[in-house]
Amino acid sequence: MSLLRGKVVVITGASSGIGETAARLLASQGAHLIIGARRVERLEALASDIRAEGGTVAVQQLDVTDLEQMQEFLKAAQSRFGRVDAVINNAGVMPLSPLEALKIEEWNRMIDVNIRGVLHGIAAGLPIMKEQGFGHFINIASIGAYEVSPTAAVYCATKYAVRAISEGLRLETAGQGIRVTLVSPGVTESELAESITDNEAREVMKEYRRIALPATAIARAIMYALEQPDNVDVSEMVIKPVI
Ligand code: NDP
């Protein structure tokens, strides 16, 4: 029997890419899911597919930049399934550009979704996990959490922040039954690059995308962390394409 059977897993940003693929994989292993994103029609289509395969899933519209919506999302998981085993803070945006282009609205959007969104997931999930005495945060960072590349200064800054926050959370929750996993993908097939408005950055990404990993590679890493026994903390995973 799958080790994930009956685990209650909350996924942000499940309407495409890594989040969607993780939802399909985890549901196929018997996890009970609640999936969130802004494009609720995409979530409903995904949920129909999952249910048709015999999976268990609830859908909720979610903007991770709104703390109240995140709290409602976690409360919905708790009241529907009775507990929360894991929160996958996956939602993210990546409108890359050189700093000198001064795309300040795009910087702010990355900060809001990639950093505040993860903090909101923690703010909503941590009280529930502390009360339960168990729980697992899986925060999706990037190889950009380890090194900076041109046009990606702000994006990388947000992912460095996710790495720092994850490590701080691990240290501060020691002894409370709460685990923290940082998953850092290299370039992966998804819709992430579609928000790039800067021509130079878009061209660079096209080159990278030739070697992109399938999103299943990241979904399997997430599944690996979730399948471990309670006394095993998978702290960090970096998954890169072979070049
Ligand atoms: P996608 O663009 O395919 O998916 C991003 C998801 O985030 C979508 O479901 C989107 O849903 C959601 N999202 C964006 N903004 C918000 C918001 N304000 N509130 C709620 N959900 C939101 O990209 P990926 O699957 O690639 O991205 C998933 C994660 O993986 C991100 O954190 C990204 O930074 C990270 N990553 C991706 C890499 C890659 O090469 N693909 C490499 C390294 C890291 P909606 O628009 O419906 O709200």
Side-chain angles (χ1 to χ4, degrees):
M1 187 196 278
S2 165
L3 297 166
L4 293 185
R5 186 151 300 280
K7 273 208 177 192
V8 178
V9 181
V10 172
I11 310 177
T12 72
S15 59
S16 64
I18 293 168
E20 175 185 343
T21 306
R24 289 183 193 278
L25 181 63
L26 301 178
S28 76
Q29 299 302 302
H32 293 174
L33 304 182
I34 175 154
I35 54 176
R38 293 163 306 170
R39 290 171 297 173
V40 76
E41 66 294 343
R42 297 268 296 250
L43 296 176
E44 294 289 2
L46 171 60
S48 301
D49 285 356
I50 288 174
R51 290 183 192 120
E53 298 288 322
T56 303
V57 60
V59 165
Q60 188 144 326
Q61 189 159 34
L62 170 70
D63 183 335
V64 297
T65 66
D66 183 325
L67 175 60
E68 276 183 22
Q69 285 189 31
M70 187 70 92
Q71 286 167 328
E72 289 305 315
F73 187 51
L74 269 288
K75 273 191 210 142
Q78 200 182 21
S79 58
R80 168 85 189 260
F81 298 116
R83 62 179 198 284
V84 175
D85 291 291
V87 174
I88 305 179
N89 282 313
N90 166 74
V93 292
M94 191 189 69
L96 302 177
S97 62
L99 286 167
E100 65 179 5
L102 300 183
K103 291 185 183 273
I104 291 157
E105 184 276 329
E106 294 184 355
W107 301 349
N108 287 339
R109 191 144 42 88
M110 284 188 276
I111 292 165
D112 283 343
V113 177
N114 301 2
I115 304 179
R116 284 204 180 87
V118 171
L119 286 169
H120 289 165
I122 293 168
L126 192 54
I128 295 173
M129 292 183 187
K130 284 180 74 162
E131 200 186 326
Q132 296 175 156
F134 62 86
H136 191 167
F137 287 100
I138 299 192
N139 295 334
I140 309 302
S142 165
I143 52 165
Y146 298 84
E147 57 187 85
V148 180
S149 49
T151 76
V154 179
Y155 178 74
C156 293
T158 66
K159 295 302 187 175
Y160 271 69
V162 171
R163 187 170 157 221
I165 291 162
S166 301
E167 194 52 28
L169 182 62
R170 181 194 334 286
L171 295 170
E172 291 178 16
T173 55
Q176 299 184 47
I178 296 169
R179 290 178 284 170
V180 183
T181 299
L182 188 75
V183 174
S184 291
V187 64
T188 303
E189 285 165 7
S190 78
E191 298 177 15
L192 194 66
E194 288 174 19
S195 64
I196 301 175
T197 59
D198 180 81
N199 289 338
E200 180 195 334
R202 210 175 16 230
E203 287 310 307
V204 172
M205 268 316 287
K206 268 189 202 154
E207 284 303 306
Y208 276 124
R209 288 182 81 171
R210 289 204 209 150
I211 55 161
L213 292 166
T216 47
I218 314 307
R220 282 198 303 270
I222 293 169
M223 186 170 81
Y224 173 81
L226 279 173
E227 280 178 341
Q228 300 309 306
D230 294 348
N231 62 337
V232 177
D233 176 82
V234 180
S235 305
E236 295 194 18
M237 283 192 272
V238 180
I239 303 106
K240 297 179 186 177
V242 174
I243 47 171

